Amino acid sequence: MHIPDGYISPQSCVVGFAVAVPAIGLAVRRVSRSAESRAVPQLALASAFSFLIMMFNLPVPGGTTAHAVGAALIAILMGPAAAVVAVSVSLLFQALLFADGGVLAYGANVVNMAVIMPLVGWGLFRLISARAPIGSPRRVVAATAAGYVAMVVAGLATGLWLGVQPLLFHTADGTPLYNPYPLSQAIPAMLVAHMLIAGPAEALVAGAVVFARERQARRELPAPTPTWSWRKTALVGAGLIAATPLGLLATGTAFGEWSGVQLAQRWGALPDGFARYTDWWPYSPLPDYGFDGGGYLVVGYWISAFVGVAVIVATIWAAARLRRSPSPSGGGAATPKT
Amino acid sequence: MTVPAWLAVPHLAEPPATKRVHPFLDRTVRQVGAVISRTTDHSASIRRDPRVTVLAMVVWLVACGLVRQPHIMIVALIVTFVVVAVQGRSALRLVGALAVPVAVFTTVLIAPSALSVVRPGTVVVTLWSTSGAAQGLTASGITTLVLMVSRALISAAVVVIVTTSTSWMRLMAGLRGLGVPGLFIEVATMAHRYVVVLAGTLVDTVMARTARSLGAVRTSADVGFAGATLSATYTTMVTLADDVHQAMVARGFTGRLQDPEPAPVRAPDVAWGLGVACAAATLLIGDRLVG
């Protein structure tokens, strides 16, 4: 994912620095305000850790390699600002010591790996883990998913940087001056490599470290008390059910969901198979989420939503009861607070 | 007493596998070893002002990035490599180690775009024909290939020139003199030292694993082990960060970073920087004239 020098124009590099420099400045200011003297050694070692993670190169078909970055992991554990600084420093090592990633392209690489990756990873982790308690497996799942998605998004961004070059920078006869592959080729190429190789690598790194930390936390902390409640769930569910008639604001029929009459009107004729099978199940109690006559649309939506939710909840409850084997002590799972 | 038959037959230990048993981990250890040697190389000896060095590097790279004519680009490449040769044999060796993979990688990546079936154009090197039409390498494709490979090589060579003439500490001081935030520079300076420490921990863990192994191990098993190793390395990192912080506080560190007064720029350094700028300007003027 490192963009070497020569692949993007100096003008694009200026844009990269124009985004990267304020981002690093903002991150430095935030870190300075929050952690004072601990920030320097923590960030230094996080940067060294990120650098070492990038040493684990996984073979990619085609003779190249891919590697994790650790940006999502550092953002999850230390915050996005710390991750911006740590990964930026790590990229500086690579550019200046190993020519891995260009010097002029440093800004673009910082944008992709030190800004986009940590922010996406941190945001997705917060979204998925929500308020899951420390030691919860949900946090491990969240970290794994966050690492994967963050890497893929960063790969997409790299594809965009590369793909716009032949569009914007070429000679009068169309000869590309920098990366010659257009967006239609650069983006799929980057996405395939990141979705299949680099993304799983980042997911492995994030998931493995968070798993180890959560396991340690479970040993050290008392068993977490579930914080979700039936009352809150019921309230949210009731709110969503009440909001279902909002769908009536959209007029027309969704693509592919036409009735036989609508299809015949659109095409002028009805295919034989469609005519034969379109009404083979006439026993729906609430056809099109409403009543047979077509009136009381809003009430029909409410009743449909309530019935649907009730059927799903009952099915899952019955399946869980069937699956649960009787405990010898007669104890069950902790009941949630209401 | 006679020796029983089973004792009379010599039992030889299974000879260790001669092929690599941990290809993934072996490769990783070699790379980490290269990192350690690179970061502990203190052979940089030229006392040029690091601010001038960084600015000159950027100016030269920008100029090469703006060149459009392949002939001028090759001239720039030759000039850069001449400067590398002047730096010394170690610089040449380092460029050789970096340049070959860079050139190969860029060529492999960009060469398909030079084919007429990928990007239509005037075929100058016919490789095959389809329906009577010549197919092969196009003029524009070759131009792009030459430009990109040259730029990648020049960038690698410039990095070697800078890092073999300027130590990391001085380079960071130069960046600080150019306005990079103090916290960023402090973190980069410390991280440069602790890369070696963490790398050593990583290598020890991996070597312990390979020393316990007999027979070939699948790459997937090694990758899983790598994940566990990273977890352990993270824990080491956190513990070390706390220890280092306590050591810094014990020595009077309060979190406030102090910048030493920067040394004034010397006349020879200014002259050197202007020389690089003139060379870059000459390059661009020549490029525009030829084009």
Side-chain angles (χ1 to χ4, degrees):
Chain A
M1 199 194 322
H2 293 70
I3 302 175
D5 274 337
Y7 283 64
I8 61 175
S9 63
Q11 295 90 330
S12 305
C13 296
V14 168
V15 170
F17 276 102
V19 176
V21 167
I24 292 174
L26 199 63
V28 163
R29 199 180 307 169
R30 190 159 291 200
V31 166
S32 306
R33 270 206 306 260
S34 64
E36 295 196 357
S37 66
R38 286 175 62 84
V40 173
Q42 275 185 341
L43 288 178
L45 281 150
S47 176
F49 181 67
S50 170
F51 181 73
L52 286 178
I53 287 175
M54 298 196 223
M55 289 287 104
F56 285 87
N57 283 320
L58 299 166
V60 175
T64 61
T65 57
H67 54 76
V69 173
L73 172 66
I74 297 173
I76 289 166
L77 296 175
M78 301 175 71
V84 169
V85 176
V87 179
S88 298
V89 169
S90 176
L91 291 173
L92 189 67
F93 286 159
Q94 293 183 314
L96 290 181
L97 289 176
F98 301 97
D100 186 8
V103 173
L104 292 186
Y106 175 71
N109 286 319
V110 164
V111 169
N112 295 337
M113 286 182 276
V115 176
I116 291 176
M117 262 193 83
L119 289 177
V120 169
W122 176 79
L124 197 61
F125 175 78
R126 289 285 297 258
L127 193 66
I128 297 176
S129 68
R131 284 181 291 174
I134 291 175
S136 159
R138 187 164 157 184
R139 291 167 64 88
V140 178
V141 171
T144 308
Y148 181 82
V149 172
M151 178 63 91
V152 171
V153 171
L156 174 64
T158 306
L160 284 170
W161 280 103
L162 295 173
V164 297
Q165 299 305 307
L167 202 64
L168 300 176
F169 305 103
H170 51 80
T171 59
D173 63 359
T175 301
L177 294 169
Y178 306 97
N179 171 59
Y181 299 107
L183 286 167
S184 59
Q185 291 171 346
I187 289 179
M190 293 304 295
L191 281 180
V192 165
H194 286 80
M195 288 173 78
L196 295 182
I197 308 288
E202 186 76 15
L204 172 71
V205 165
V209 176
V210 171
F211 174 74
R213 279 177 53 92
E214 296 300 317
R215 188 171 58 180
Q216 185 64 29
R218 276 200 298 275
R219 285 188 200 134
E220 292 170 357
L221 296 175
T225 309
T227 57
W228 60 275
S229 70
W230 283 113
R231 185 181 296 170
K232 282 183 192 169
T233 308
L235 278 173
V236 170
L240 289 172
I241 288 172
T244 50
L246 287 172
L248 291 168
L249 293 173
T251 56
T253 309
F255 185 89
E257 293 187 14
W258 306 293
S259 65
V261 171
Q262 290 170 326
L263 202 59
Q265 281 173 352
R266 286 176 76 91
W267 284 356
L270 202 63
D272 286 342
F274 199 102
R276 203 177 312 137
Y277 294 112
T278 185
D279 289 322
W280 77 278
W281 181 260
Y283 309 112
S284 304
L286 293 163
D288 289 325
Y289 306 103
F291 303 110
D292 259 335
Y296 303 105
L297 293 175
V298 172
V299 174
Y301 263 62
W302 282 337
I303 293 175
S304 302
F306 179 78
V307 168
V309 169
V311 166
I312 290 170
V313 168
T315 306
I316 293 175
W317 179 81
R321 282 291 297 242
L322 281 171
R323 190 175 174 273
R324 198 182 304 164
S325 54
S327 158
S329 62
T335 51
K337 288 193 308 191
T338 52
Chain B
M1 182 175 152
T2 56
V3 174
W6 62 267
L7 192 56
V9 176
H11 293 271
L12 297 173
E14 182 91 14
T18 51
K19 71 172 187 177
R20 284 185 308 171
V21 297
H22 290 277
F24 173 68
L25 292 182
D26 287 346
R27 190 170 56 238
T28 304
V29 165
R30 272 203 307 277
Q31 285 167 352
V32 175
V35 163
I36 293 174
S37 67
R38 190 83 182 92
T39 49
T40 51
D41 180 12
H42 300 296
S43 59
S45 59
I46 298 178
R47 303 292 297 181
R48 188 176 301 128
D49 191 293
R51 292 165 291 186
V52 173
T53 302
V54 169
L55 285 175
M57 171 177 68
V58 170
V59 163
W60 186 249
L61 288 175
V62 169
C64 293
L66 293 172
V67 165
R68 297 180 169 208
Q69 302 303 319
H71 310 96
I72 304 297
M73 184 59 79
I74 290 175
V75 167
L77 183 64
I78 292 170
V79 166
T80 310
F81 272 74
V82 164
V83 175
V84 171
V86 165
Q87 291 273 131
R89 202 172 290 173
S90 65
L92 270 175
R93 206 166 32 238
L94 206 51
V95 163
L98 283 177
V100 169
V102 162
V104 168
F105 175 77
T106 304
T107 305
V108 164
L109 210 59
I110 303 301
S113 72
L115 295 172
S116 53
V117 291
V118 176
R119 288 188 68 94
T122 310
V123 176
V124 293
V125 177
T126 305
L127 297 176
W128 75 96
S129 300
T130 52
S131 309
Q135 304 287 355
L137 300 174
T138 62
S140 63
I142 292 174
T143 300
T144 305
L145 184 64
V146 167
L147 289 175
M148 290 194 64
V149 172
S150 302
R151 285 193 196 112
L153 286 172
I154 288 171
S155 177
V158 164
V159 162
V160 168
I161 290 170
V162 166
T163 54
T164 52
S165 64
T166 313
S167 68
W168 183 258
M169 292 289 289
R170 288 176 53 77
L171 207 52
M172 291 302 105
L175 288 176
R176 182 69 187 118
L178 292 171
V180 176
L183 182 77
F184 188 89
I185 296 299
E186 190 72 22
V187 168
T189 308
M190 283 190 67
H192 183 257
R193 294 190 188 123
Y194 288 104
V195 160
V196 178
V197 174
L198 282 187
T201 306
L202 198 67
V203 168
D204 289 345
T205 311
V206 170
M207 294 295 282
R209 157 86 166 180
T210 56
R212 290 194 299 270
S213 302
L214 284 176
V217 174
R218 278 199 303 270
T219 298
S220 56
D222 277 352
V223 169
F225 174 74
T229 303
L230 285 172
S231 307
T233 308
Y234 177 79
T235 308
T236 305
M237 178 205 94
V238 170
T239 311
L240 189 59
D242 286 340
D243 292 344
V244 168
H245 174 241
Q246 287 173 17
M248 290 168 72
V249 168
R251 285 163 177 77
F253 182 65
T254 59
R256 293 190 61 182
L257 303 170
Q258 293 173 340
D259 292 321
E261 197 64 35
V265 183
R266 301 176 308 162
D269 296 335
V270 173
W272 184 86
L274 285 174
V276 171
C278 288
T282 306
L283 201 67
L284 289 176
I285 293 169
D287 183 62
R288 294 296 176 262
L289 286 174
V290 169

